[in-house]
């Protein structure tokens, strides 16, 4: 079994026959996440004011560690904040904790980003949904990511997604220009240009968010289980 089409392609290149490779995507509890998100969206304006968030917000969710490439994200955001007048209404919400937190906080202090970068700490998967509901665009800048379930979660909550092409989920979940964009995590300028599209209003965030919700509909635990069952049944049948 491989997580997603990209890993299946890789295994095939290593010599495994295509008919012996079974794809099993990663899935979240879409129904529960969607219901929680809807409850928070009702109070969206009130909660944003309570937390001091900006009018519009990018969001990252995950571990704060080097392989997540958050320094590149912060540098890209800092560049835009400093050089684009239209970016003054935008913030960056960072949900998570990890060994790199101190370094990231020092970066924010050094570049005077406290008013627009918001650390909210580590949260359970259910509590994270509140922040998806308050955000506008999800970003996953990882240097390495077998799949990235946070992409599923963000899409269930109706967010456009900007995803590193080194994340397995990019190849299955991101439809370029429809529900989001992919980028090279080593290319800060490429990430900046994508973020700028949202800041300048060159893409329809609502339409992209609706596309995300439509795409993620089939990525359920039930369908993931069916994929596994089908693979197991095929293997057992081949041994008869």
């Amino acid at each position: 079994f491989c997580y997603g089409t990209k890993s299946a392609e890789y295994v095939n290149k290593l010599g495994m026959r295509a008919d012996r490779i079974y794809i099993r995507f990663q899935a979240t509890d879409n129904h529960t996440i969607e219901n929680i998100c809807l409850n928070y969206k009702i109070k969206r304006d009130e909660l944003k004011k309570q937390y001091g968030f900006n009018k519009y917000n990018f969001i990252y969710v995950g571990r704060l560690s080097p392989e997540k490439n958050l320094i590149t994200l912060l540098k890209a955001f800092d560049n835009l904040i400093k050089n684009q007048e239209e970016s003054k209404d935008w913030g960056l919400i960072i949900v998570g904790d990890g060994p790199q937190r101190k370094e990231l906080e020092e970066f924010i202090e050094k570049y005077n980003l406290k008013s627009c970068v918001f650390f909210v700490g580590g949260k359970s998967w259910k509590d994270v949904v509140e922040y998806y509901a308050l955000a506008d665009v999800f970003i996953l800048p990882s240097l390495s990511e077998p799949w990235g379930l946070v992409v599923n979660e963000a899409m269930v909550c109706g967010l456009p997604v900007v995803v590193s092409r080194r994340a397995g989920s990019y190849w299955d979940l991101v439809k370029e220009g429809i529900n989001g964009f992919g980028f090279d995590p080593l290319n800060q300028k490429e990430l900046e240009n994508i973020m700028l599209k949202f800041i300048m209003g060159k893409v329809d965030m609502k339409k992209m968010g609706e596309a995300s919700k439509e795409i993620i509909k089939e990525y359920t635990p039930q369908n993931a289980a069916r994929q596994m069952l089908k693979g197991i049944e095929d293997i057992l049948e081949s041994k008869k």
Side-chain angles (χ1 to χ4, degrees):
F1 285 99
C2 294
Y3 286 138
T5 56
K6 195 64 175 177
S7 59
E9 288 174 9
Y10 178 72
V11 171
N12 182 238
K13 286 179 181 178
L14 291 178
M16 175 69 74
R17 282 169 30 204
D19 64 344
R20 304 297 292 169
I21 300 170
Y22 295 90
I23 296 174
R24 190 216 129 179
F25 53 64
Q26 290 276 54
T28 56
D29 185 350
N30 293 1
H31 180 71
T32 299
I33 291 172
E34 185 174 23
N35 285 338
I36 296 172
C37 189
L38 288 172
N39 287 332
Y40 280 120
K41 282 189 174 180
I42 294 170
K43 304 177 286 184
R44 178 179 161 93
D45 291 339
E46 175 190 335
L47 288 169
K48 283 172 70 175
K49 185 176 180 181
Q50 178 183 324
Y51 294 144
F53 291 162
N54 287 22
K55 184 177 180 179
Y56 305 106
N57 294 277
F58 297 105
I59 185 171
Y60 164 83
V61 177
R63 182 172 166 78
L64 309 186
S65 53
E67 74 276 6
K68 300 299 183 178
N69 199 31
L70 287 166
I71 289 292
T72 295
L73 173 57
L74 286 173
K75 286 180 177 177
F77 185 67
D78 177 56
N79 242 6
L80 294 168
I81 289 293
K82 299 294 195 313
N83 297 299
Q84 294 291 332
E85 177 65 22
E86 294 82 0
S87 68
K88 61 181 173 56
D89 288 333
W90 283 79
L92 171 61
I93 301 168
I94 297 178
V95 185
D97 213 337
Q100 203 180 18
R101 178 160 184 163
K102 184 178 179 183
E103 180 185 352
L104 298 173
E105 289 176 333
E106 287 173 351
F107 181 98
I108 289 165
E109 180 78 35
K110 180 179 178 181
Y111 291 96
N112 299 312
L113 294 171
K114 279 190 172 182
S115 64
C116 53
V117 178
F118 311 98
F119 279 97
V120 301
K123 304 290 177 181
S124 70
W125 70 271
K126 287 186 178 180
D127 291 335
V128 164
V129 179
E130 176 181 4
Y131 298 96
Y132 289 127
L134 305 183
D136 299 276
V137 180
F138 174 80
I139 301 179
L140 182 66
S142 302
L143 296 170
S144 174
E145 196 79 57
W147 180 267
L149 276 172
V150 286
V151 180
N152 297 58
E153 294 172 353
M155 289 174 62
V156 172
C157 292
L159 292 180
V161 291
V162 179
V163 181
S164 162
R165 287 192 288 269
R166 292 194 183 183
S169 59
Y170 164 77
W171 304 95
D172 292 78
L173 299 183
V174 182
K175 311 305 176 187
E176 285 288 332
I178 296 174
N179 75 312
F181 302 95
F183 68 99
D184 176 357
L186 298 177
N187 189 335
Q188 180 184 319
K189 190 64 179 176
E190 185 180 11
L191 175 57
E192 285 180 29
N193 288 338
I194 293 170
M195 295 171 75
L196 190 58
K197 289 181 182 181
F198 291 100
I199 291 170
M200 299 298 290
K202 291 184 177 180
V203 292
D204 187 331
M205 290 190 292
K206 183 178 180 182
K207 189 175 180 180
M208 277 195 162
E210 289 170 352
S212 279
K213 292 182 75 170
E214 191 62 33
I215 292 166
I216 205 64
K217 274 184 179 179
E218 298 304 313
Y219 288 75
T220 64
Q222 293 85 354
N223 285 340
R226 289 188 187 101
Q227 287 177 320
M228 291 191 70
L229 180 60
K230 175 66 166 59
I232 292 168
E233 287 176 340
D234 286 354
I235 291 169
L236 291 175
E237 183 65 28
S238 70
K239 291 182 180 295
K240 288 183 178 179

